[in-house]
Amino acid sequence: MTRLPVSRVFRPLMVALLVLLAVQGPTAAMSVMDPFNLPASMDGGTAKVGDGIAYADGARHKLDVYAPQQRGAPAPVVFFIYGGGWNRGERSDYQFVGRALAARGFVAVIADYRLVPEVHYPEFLEDNASALKWVQDNIANYGGDPARLFLAGHSAGAYNAVMLALDPSFLQEYGVTMPIRAVAGLSGPYDFYPFEYDEVRNAFGAASNPEGTQPVNLVTSDAPPMYLATGTGDPIVRMQNTEHLARAMQARGVWVTTKFYPGFGHMEPVIALGSLWRWRAPVLDDMTLFFNQFGAFPSGVPYLAVVPEPPAEVIEPMDDIIAQMDAMFQPVSK
């Protein structure tokens, strides 16, 4: 992993933003994700080539598209699904993820989807399947290759991505025929029945077949390869979720790669994708290299994302910042 020095402008910005977040906490008017989405905090050489594109009717049925500024041949596509306990989340909070993926040569799509309590399982999955139909029909116009599709997600978004890959009925319902080359799940819940916490009861409690909502129960030999990563200190989605799904995939002969980031909590794996926190762990590199094993870049990875050196002056408030981020979420499983 190449490390580049943090600029004189970037270093004090990083310190000021992280200290502000530590002081104000998650109840402040600003979004907790705002520091990661400021222009100086995101990868350069990227462009937002689609903004608020409707993939269906309704306010929550819009998506954004990110791509490298320098585009030639069609690029592989990553459809990234954000988390938020199935009851919150905005695509605008994850601009830094779209630009991070674009910095590695992908065309990235981030879609909003309906949330609890407006909808419940399986409607948020259906929304993402509908967005994938838009990708299938339109992504070539934005420089993407629909034949090289990868799914990724964090937390509830990782659940959504994995479910779309394991249960073909959702994509079939919307006429999605693109093959899913591989899936990356970060901090994902895959084995959380019985539903012991309100967040999952509210989303899944009315399901007629609750066991059928669990990815760990749906693995077949036809599942695509998966990269499953989590923090060892995640208090929201315990690392056992990743372990259980990985074992189910191994038992059926499906390629699965696991990564356990020591001491990471729930939010760190996703924020480490962005340039502001990338020095914390090579999550972006790990994901990119995994996707490349399954045909993302047949000629080799063409882009190298910037990895700043660790800024020593912000080490002290890190634990407090992470604790405040994790405090926004209810536990999913024991």
Side-chain angles (χ1 to χ4, degrees):
M1 181 169 59
T2 302
R3 292 193 179 278
L4 301 177
V6 180
S7 72
R8 294 180 181 178
V9 175
F10 186 59
R11 184 183 294 272
L13 172 64
M14 184 187 298
V15 174
L17 289 172
L18 293 178
V19 170
L20 176 65
L21 182 57
V23 171
Q24 293 199 25
T27 59
M30 64 178 287
S31 166
V32 72
M33 307 304 286
D34 282 354
F36 307 101
N37 290 309
L38 292 177
S41 303
M42 294 191 290
D43 290 277
T46 64
K48 190 176 189 179
V49 296
D51 188 359
I53 300 169
Y55 65 86
D57 294 335
R60 294 289 302 180
H61 292 153
K62 293 182 171 61
L63 57 80
D64 297 336
V65 183
Y66 300 85
Q69 279 184 339
Q70 301 293 326
R71 296 189 295 279
V77 179
V78 176
F79 184 81
F80 176 83
I81 309 176
Y82 58 75
W86 302 282
N87 61 21
R88 60 194 177 280
E90 302 286 342
R91 69 184 190 279
S92 60
D93 283 342
Y94 292 87
Q95 296 178 60
F96 72 96
V97 173
R99 291 189 183 274
L101 291 166
R104 294 310 306 261
F106 295 98
V107 171
V109 180
I110 304 178
D112 281 333
Y113 53 96
R114 290 173 298 167
L115 303 169
V116 176
E118 180 186 359
V119 298
H120 306 87
Y121 173 90
E123 290 162 293
F124 39 78
L125 292 172
E126 293 168 352
D127 285 356
N128 281 287
S130 177
L132 279 170
K133 181 61 163 65
W134 181 94
V135 172
Q136 177 174 283
D137 293 345
N138 297 281
I139 202 62
N141 298 327
Y142 296 84
D145 180 0
R148 287 181 287 160
L149 171 70
F150 301 85
L151 304 186
H154 170 254
S155 190
Y159 168 89
N160 292 355
V162 167
M163 281 293 289
L164 291 174
L166 294 181
D167 187 341
S169 67
F170 293 109
L171 300 185
Q172 290 170 356
E173 180 180 352
Y174 286 88
V176 178
T177 58
M178 293 180 296
I180 298 171
R181 293 280 187 110
V183 181
L186 305 178
S187 311
Y190 314 117
D191 184 14
F192 52 93
Y193 181 77
F195 307 135
E196 300 181 82
Y197 295 96
D198 286 343
E199 198 152 67
V200 291
R201 286 195 192 107
N202 292 339
F204 296 92
S208 58
N209 176 20
E211 291 90 345
T213 68
Q214 302 298 287
V216 72
N217 296 330
L218 301 179
V219 180
T220 70
S221 59
D222 295 326
M226 293 195 188
Y227 171 77
L228 304 176
T230 189
T232 60
D234 190 335
I236 310 304
V237 179
R238 302 295 184 184
M239 60 186 287
Q240 290 92 326
N241 282 264
T242 291
E243 293 171 330
H244 293 174
L245 180 57
R247 282 201 296 266
M249 296 184 70
Q250 290 165 348
R252 290 158 182 81
V254 181
W255 188 311
V256 59
T257 296
T258 56
K259 183 75 173 185
F260 299 94
Y261 295 105
F264 266 28
H266 188 63
M267 291 297 294
E268 283 168 292
V270 69
I271 62 177
L273 290 174
S275 63
L276 184 62
W277 221 306
R278 192 170 296 142
W279 56 271
R280 295 275 285 174
V283 182
L284 181 63
D285 279 346
D286 291 344
M287 183 188 300
T288 301
L289 291 173
F290 182 78
F291 285 165
N292 201 42
Q293 289 181 268
F294 300 99
F297 301 100
S299 301
V301 180
Y303 297 91
L304 182 64
V306 173
V307 182
E309 292 179 349
E313 59 265 54
V314 300
I315 294 298
E316 287 301 319
M318 281 292 178
D319 290 343
D320 289 341
I321 293 168
I322 294 300
Q324 289 179 21
M325 286 184 167
D326 287 348
M328 296 186 299
F329 297 88
Q330 296 179 17
V332 170
S333 63
K334 292 183 178 178

